[in-house]
Coordinates of all heavy atoms in Angstrom, one line a residue:
T36 N -1.6 1.7 -6.4 CA -1.5 3.0 -5.8 C -1.9 4.1 -6.7 O -1.9 5.3 -6.4 CB 0.0 3.3 -5.3 OG1 0.8 3.1 -6.5 CG2 0.4 2.3 -4.3
A37 N -2.2 3.8 -8.0 CA -2.6 4.8 -9.0 C -3.5 4.1 -10.0 O -3.4 2.9 -10.2 CB -1.4 5.4 -9.6
G38 N -4.3 4.9 -10.7 CA -5.2 4.4 -11.7 C -4.4 3.7 -12.8 O -4.9 2.7 -13.5
M39 N -3.2 4.2 -13.1 CA -2.5 3.7 -14.3 C -1.8 2.3 -14.0 O -1.5 1.6 -14.9 CB -1.4 4.6 -14.7 CG -0.4 5.2 -13.7 SD 0.8 4.0 -13.1 CE 1.9 3.9 -14.5
Q40 N -1.7 1.9 -12.7 CA -0.9 0.7 -12.4 C -1.4 -0.5 -13.1 O -0.6 -1.2 -13.7 CB -0.9 0.5 -10.9 CG 0.5 0.1 -10.4 CD 0.8 0.7 -9.1 OE1 -0.1 1.1 -8.3 NE2 2.0 0.7 -8.8
L46 N 0.2 0.7 -21.6 CA 1.0 1.9 -21.8 C 2.3 1.6 -22.5 O 2.8 2.4 -23.3 CB 1.3 2.6 -20.5 CG 0.1 3.2 -19.7 CD1 0.4 3.4 -18.3 CD2 -0.4 4.4 -20.4
C63 N -7.6 2.7 -4.9 CA -6.2 2.7 -4.6 C -5.9 2.7 -3.1 O -6.7 3.2 -2.3 CB -5.5 4.0 -5.1 SG -5.8 4.3 -6.9
R65 N -2.7 3.7 -0.6 CA -1.3 4.2 -0.4 C -1.0 4.3 1.1 O -1.7 4.8 1.9 CB -1.2 5.7 -1.0 CG -1.1 5.7 -2.4 CD -0.7 7.0 -3.0 NE -0.9 7.1 -4.4 CZ -0.8 8.1 -5.2 NH1 -0.5 9.3 -4.6 NH2 -1.0 8.0 -6.5
F81 N -8.3 5.5 -1.4 CA -9.0 6.6 -2.1 C -9.3 6.1 -3.5 O -8.8 5.1 -3.9 CB -8.1 7.9 -2.1 CG -6.8 7.7 -2.9 CD1 -6.7 8.1 -4.2 CD2 -5.7 7.1 -2.3 CE1 -5.6 8.0 -5.0 CE2 -4.5 7.0 -3.1 CZ -4.5 7.4 -4.4
M83 N -9.4 7.0 -7.6 CA -8.8 8.0 -8.6 C -9.6 7.9 -9.9 O -9.8 6.8 -10.4 CB -7.4 7.5 -8.8 CG -6.5 8.7 -9.4 SD -4.9 8.1 -9.8 CE -4.0 8.9 -8.4
L84 N -10.1 9.1 -10.3 CA -10.8 9.1 -11.6 C -9.7 9.3 -12.6 O -8.7 10.1 -12.4 CB -11.7 10.4 -11.6 CG -12.8 10.5 -10.5 CD1 -13.4 11.9 -10.6 CD2 -13.8 9.4 -10.7
G85 N -9.8 8.6 -13.7 CA -8.7 8.7 -14.7 C -9.2 8.5 -16.2 O -10.2 7.8 -16.4
N86 N -8.6 9.2 -17.1 CA -8.8 8.9 -18.5 C -7.5 8.7 -19.2 O -6.5 9.2 -18.8 CB -9.6 10.0 -19.2 CG -8.8 11.3 -19.2 OD1 -8.7 12.0 -18.2 ND2 -8.3 11.7 -20.4
W87 N -7.5 7.8 -20.2 CA -6.2 7.4 -20.8 C -6.4 7.4 -22.3 O -7.4 7.1 -22.9 CB -5.8 5.9 -20.4 CG -5.4 5.9 -19.0 CD1 -4.1 6.1 -18.6 CD2 -6.2 5.6 -17.9 NE1 -4.1 6.0 -17.2 CE2 -5.3 5.7 -16.8 CE3 -7.5 5.4 -17.7 CZ2 -5.8 5.6 -15.5 CZ3 -8.0 5.2 -16.4 CH2 -7.1 5.3 -15.3
W157 N 6.4 12.4 -14.0 CA 5.7 11.4 -13.2 C 6.1 10.0 -13.5 O 6.2 9.6 -14.7 CB 4.2 11.5 -13.3 CG 3.5 10.9 -12.2 CD1 3.1 11.6 -11.0 CD2 3.1 9.6 -12.0 NE1 2.5 10.7 -10.2 CE2 2.4 9.4 -10.8 CE3 3.2 8.4 -12.8 CZ2 1.9 8.2 -10.3 CZ3 2.7 7.2 -12.3 CH2 2.0 7.1 -11.1
I158 N 6.4 9.2 -12.5 CA 6.8 7.8 -12.7 C 6.3 7.1 -11.4 O 6.4 7.7 -10.3 CB 8.3 7.6 -12.9 CG1 8.6 6.1 -13.1 CG2 9.1 8.2 -11.8 CD1 10.0 5.9 -13.8
A159 N 5.8 5.9 -11.5 CA 5.4 5.1 -10.4 C 6.6 4.3 -9.9 O 7.1 3.5 -10.6 CB 4.3 4.1 -10.7
P164 N 6.9 3.1 -17.3 CA 6.5 4.2 -18.2 C 6.4 5.5 -17.5 O 6.0 5.5 -16.3 CB 5.1 3.7 -18.7 CG 4.6 2.7 -17.8 CD 5.8 2.1 -17.1
D168 N 4.5 15.9 -16.8 CA 3.0 16.1 -16.6 C 2.7 17.6 -16.4 O 3.6 18.4 -16.3 CB 2.6 15.3 -15.4 CG 3.2 15.8 -14.1 OD1 4.0 16.8 -14.1 OD2 3.0 15.1 -13.0
E170 N 0.0 19.8 -14.1 CA -0.9 19.7 -13.0 C -1.9 20.9 -12.9 O -1.5 22.0 -13.2 CB -0.2 19.5 -11.7 CG 0.7 18.3 -11.7 CD 1.3 17.9 -10.4 OE1 1.3 18.8 -9.4 OE2 1.9 16.9 -10.2
E193 N -3.8 21.1 -5.7 CA -3.7 20.3 -6.9 C -5.0 19.5 -7.0 O -5.3 18.8 -6.1 CB -2.5 19.5 -7.0 CG -2.2 18.8 -8.3 CD -1.7 17.4 -8.1 OE1 -0.9 17.1 -7.3 OE2 -2.2 16.5 -8.9
W195 N -5.8 17.8 -10.4 CA -5.8 16.9 -11.5 C -4.4 16.8 -12.1 O -3.7 17.9 -12.1 CB -6.8 17.3 -12.6 CG -7.3 16.2 -13.5 CD1 -6.8 15.0 -13.7 CD2 -8.4 16.3 -14.4 NE1 -7.5 14.3 -14.6 CE2 -8.5 15.1 -15.0 CE3 -9.3 17.3 -14.7 CZ2 -9.5 14.8 -16.0 CZ3 -10.3 17.1 -15.6 CH2 -10.4 15.8 -16.3
N196 N -4.0 15.6 -12.5 CA -2.6 15.5 -13.0 C -2.7 14.8 -14.4 O -3.2 13.7 -14.5 CB -1.8 14.6 -12.0 CG -0.4 14.4 -12.4 OD1 0.1 15.1 -13.3 ND2 0.3 13.5 -11.8
N197 N -2.2 15.5 -15.4 CA -2.2 14.9 -16.7 C -0.8 14.5 -17.1 O 0.1 15.4 -17.2 CB -2.7 15.8 -17.8 CG -4.2 16.2 -17.6 OD1 -4.7 16.1 -16.5 ND2 -4.8 16.6 -18.7
V198 N -0.5 13.2 -17.2 CA 0.9 12.8 -17.5 C 1.0 12.4 -19.0 O 0.1 11.7 -19.5 CB 1.3 11.5 -16.6 CG1 2.7 11.2 -16.8 CG2 0.9 11.7 -15.2
M200 N 2.8 10.3 -21.1 CA 3.7 9.1 -20.9 C 4.3 8.7 -22.3 O 3.6 8.0 -23.1 CB 3.0 7.9 -20.3 CG 2.8 8.1 -18.9 SD 2.3 6.6 -18.1 CE 2.6 7.1 -16.4
V218 N -1.5 9.2 -22.8 CA -1.9 10.1 -21.8 C -2.4 9.3 -20.6 O -3.1 8.4 -20.8 CB -3.0 11.1 -22.3 CG1 -3.6 11.9 -21.2 CG2 -2.5 11.9 -23.5
D219 N -2.0 9.7 -19.4 CA -2.5 9.1 -18.2 C -2.9 10.2 -17.2 O -2.1 11.0 -16.8 CB -1.4 8.2 -17.6 CG -1.5 8.1 -16.1 OD1 -2.6 7.9 -15.6 OD2 -0.4 8.3 -15.4
T220 N -4.2 10.3 -17.0 CA -4.6 11.4 -16.0 C -5.1 10.8 -14.7 O -5.7 9.7 -14.7 CB -5.6 12.4 -16.6 OG1 -6.9 11.9 -16.3 CG2 -5.4 12.6 -18.1
G221 N -5.0 11.5 -13.7 CA -5.6 11.1 -12.4 C -6.1 12.2 -11.6 O -5.4 13.2 -11.4
M222 N -7.3 12.0 -11.1 CA -7.9 13.1 -10.2 C -8.5 12.4 -9.0 O -9.4 11.5 -9.1 CB -9.0 13.8 -11.0 CG -9.8 14.8 -10.2 SD -10.6 16.1 -11.2 CE -11.6 15.2 -12.3
G223 N -8.0 12.7 -7.8 CA -8.5 12.1 -6.6 C -9.9 12.5 -6.3 O -10.2 13.7 -6.2
Ligands
LIG601 N1 -0.4 8.5 -12.7 C1 -0.7 9.9 -12.3 C2 -0.9 10.0 -10.8 O1 -1.1 9.0 -10.1 C3 -1.9 10.4 -13.1 O2 -2.9 9.4 -13.1 O3 -1.0 11.1 -10.4

Side-chain angles (χ1 to χ4, degrees):
T36 57
M39 52 71 74
Q40 222 144 19
L46 294 162
C63 300
R65 279 192 194 172
F81 64 98
M83 203 183 254
L84 303 171
N86 63 285
W87 289 272
W157 203 90
I158 182 163
D168 62 6
E170 297 189 350
E193 187 220 320
W195 204 346
N196 184 13
N197 294 24
V198 187
M200 285 192 165
V218 173
D219 151 43
T220 90
M222 174 154 62

